[in-house]
Amino acid sequence: MVRARVILHVDMDSFFSAIEVREHPELKGLPVVVGGGREGIERGIERGKLRGVVSTCSYEARKYGIHSAMALSRAYKLCPDAKFLPVNMPLYKRVSARIMAILRAHADKMEQVSIDEAFLDVSSRVRDWADARAYAERIKAEILDKEGLTCSIGVAPNKTIAKIASNFEKPDGLTVVEDGNAREFLAPLPVKSIPGVGPKTENTLRQLGIQNIGQLASADVQLLVARMGKYGERLHLIANGMDDSDVEPGCERKSLSRERTFAEDTDDMALLEESIAELADEVYRALIVGGFVFRNVGIKVKYADFKVITRARTLRAFHSDLETLRRVAKELIQKEMEGVKREGKRIRLVGVRVSKLSLLGYQQQRLFATAATTPSAD
Ligand code: TTP
Ligand code: MG
């Protein structure tokens, strides 16, 4: 009988590009880069000028140094022979929803954290760590059988270690960290392997002579707290293999927003609309990575006198497309500016925000279940 909790973290391997390779088997084994829109890719390849950023790429393409969020033009320079494909979100969303449904069926509790990633609490379903490994192997086999895709799974007594473990042997990995081995497993890893530790925290820790998790585990907790407050205490616990955060079903994030301050205050409608459209694109990219759908779109305007207004509209149904996001944000700014034009006010900052979020998989299941009675899109 396992007394510790058994948590799985499942993360699909090179998700968007693996789906493309599945759909186009002739791409298997080749460097494949997914990113940008169809127009940008097709015209760009002719002119050698691709527009947009890399969403993801195959492991073969990663050998050339290509990675997510890199400009496509740079990826093209690194590997001109790679196959460049536009993002096909509707397809990836359908695949994601099916995979999340498979995972949900195997867990006491499941927490989807992005379009291709979830935590599963399987404590009541396995007898011991050997059984937990076999359980994770069965999940991998089922996803491969039903969807033709590989994933990596970390099995551990808590969420943080499970997440670190799923990344340990990627792609097609399976890493089991038993509760008794947690500190030993973590010790040699660099502190940046802890989810949430970025360059800033890494730098603070380096100044304290701490580079790997083992050093963090044996550091003086008072010193960490003095430098980093409560977060220092949490990091110390994590490094010692402790994290009692629960697998929480449902959507924790409430909203997503992006804003921009103009170099000079403006009332130029074309510039405002263009900025709103670009901010909507940025929000949309964050929605994709998070696997969210939205039901409320808002804008924020800060005037030259620093007065801030927000305007928002709740839609009748959940949406996940860029067109709706752009259209509603544009209508809101146009409406706001109609009144303002007459007063001759200038604008210092604009922002776009989506709220009333839900997770893609959850919503699609609900939509399928109630398709006959639910009114369609707003
Ligand atoms: P990740 O799980 O971060 O990456 P991945 O699945 O492509 O590769 P890995 O094997 O390392 O897990 O992200 C999941 C998907 O989210 C990814 O396939 C594409 C999308 N995505 C973006 O569109 N932009 C981004 O910047 C990132 C990080 C991901
Ligand atoms: Mg992934």
Side-chain angles (χ1 to χ4, degrees), residues 51-332:
R51 285 173 53 112
V53 294
V54 175
S55 277
T56 193
C57 60
S58 64
Y59 278 77
E60 289 82 0
R62 294 181 197 197
K63 290 184 195 141
Y64 295 84
I66 301 172
H67 57 74
S68 293
M70 170 183 278
L72 281 168
S73 54
R74 171 139 177 74
Y76 188 75
K77 283 200 192 94
L78 290 171
C79 183
D81 293 334
K83 297 291 169 198
F84 287 85
L85 296 169
V87 174
N88 180 356
M89 270 319 278
L91 172 64
Y92 313 151
K93 285 176 194 164
R94 284 197 300 275
V95 177
S96 170
R98 286 199 299 264
I99 289 170
M100 293 302 156
I102 293 174
L103 296 179
R104 197 166 286 121
H106 287 291
D108 300 332
K109 282 188 285 185
M110 186 187 92
E111 177 179 343
Q112 185 180 343
V113 273
S114 81
I115 193 164
D116 82 328
E117 213 183 309
F119 289 105
L120 280 62
D121 188 328
V122 303
S123 305
S124 81
R125 301 186 180 214
V126 297
R127 287 183 306 277
D128 53 30
W129 292 102
D131 196 24
R133 172 183 289 277
Y135 197 82
E137 264 162 6
R138 284 200 294 277
I139 292 177
K140 280 168 67 79
E142 184 174 342
I143 294 176
L144 186 61
D145 178 48
K146 291 191 173 150
E147 291 297 328
L149 297 170
T150 64
C151 63
S152 296
I153 303 188
V155 184
N158 66 48
K159 282 165 74 174
T160 302
I161 303 177
K163 181 154 169 94
I164 295 173
S166 73
N167 199 35
F168 195 67
E169 293 176 287
K170 241 181 184 306
D172 202 12
L174 172 56
T175 302
V176 181
V177 182
E178 302 185 14
D179 46 345
N181 300 340
R183 296 188 65 208
E184 194 186 339
F185 168 75
L186 294 172
L189 305 176
V191 288
K192 68 164 188 264
S193 341
I194 300 175
V197 170
K200 209 173 140 213
T201 306
E202 207 186 348
N203 194 30
T204 310
L205 291 170
R206 194 179 311 114
Q207 285 168 12
L208 297 172
I210 298 168
Q211 304 205 22
N212 63 41
I213 302 183
Q215 291 166 329
L216 180 59
S218 51
D220 176 2
V221 67
Q222 301 300 338
L223 182 68
L224 294 171
V225 171
R227 285 297 290 269
M228 312 166 81
K230 265 228 148 315
Y231 186 48
E233 190 182 347
R234 174 153 169 75
L235 284 179
H236 189 253
L237 284 172
I238 284 174
N240 281 289
M242 285 176 271
D243 166 21
D244 57 12
S245 60
D246 244 327
V247 172
E248 292 187 43
C251 178
E252 281 183 71
R253 187 172 266 285
K254 297 278 181 280
S255 69
L256 263 172
S257 61
R258 293 288 184 274
E259 50 189 54
R260 170 177 308 166
T261 305
F262 296 108
E264 276 175 37
D265 299 344
T266 183
D267 61 358
D268 177 350
M269 200 56 211
L271 175 63
L272 289 169
E273 279 185 17
E274 188 190 313
S275 304
I276 289 282
E278 284 171 10
L279 290 167
D281 291 356
E282 285 178 30
V283 168
Y284 178 70
R285 278 204 289 276
L287 279 167
I288 291 175
V289 177
F292 297 116
V293 293
F294 58 92
R295 212 159 87 79
N296 182 283
V297 177
I299 59 157
K300 171 176 167 181
V301 175
K302 189 189 267 182
Y303 288 100
D305 61 4
F306 282 79
K307 186 179 162 217
V308 175
I309 63 101
T310 57
R311 300 282 179 257
R313 187 184 304 162
T314 297
L315 310 172
R316 272 183 286 160
F318 281 95
H319 290 260
S320 60
D321 60 305
L322 177 61
E323 287 66 37
T324 304
L325 173 54
R326 273 191 169 201
R327 176 176 56 78
V328 177
K330 183 173 166 184
E331 286 168 10
L332 291 170

Side-chain angles (χ1 to χ4, degrees), residues 11-13 116 170:
D11 186 341
M12 302 304 296
D13 301 321
D116 82 328
K170 241 181 184 306

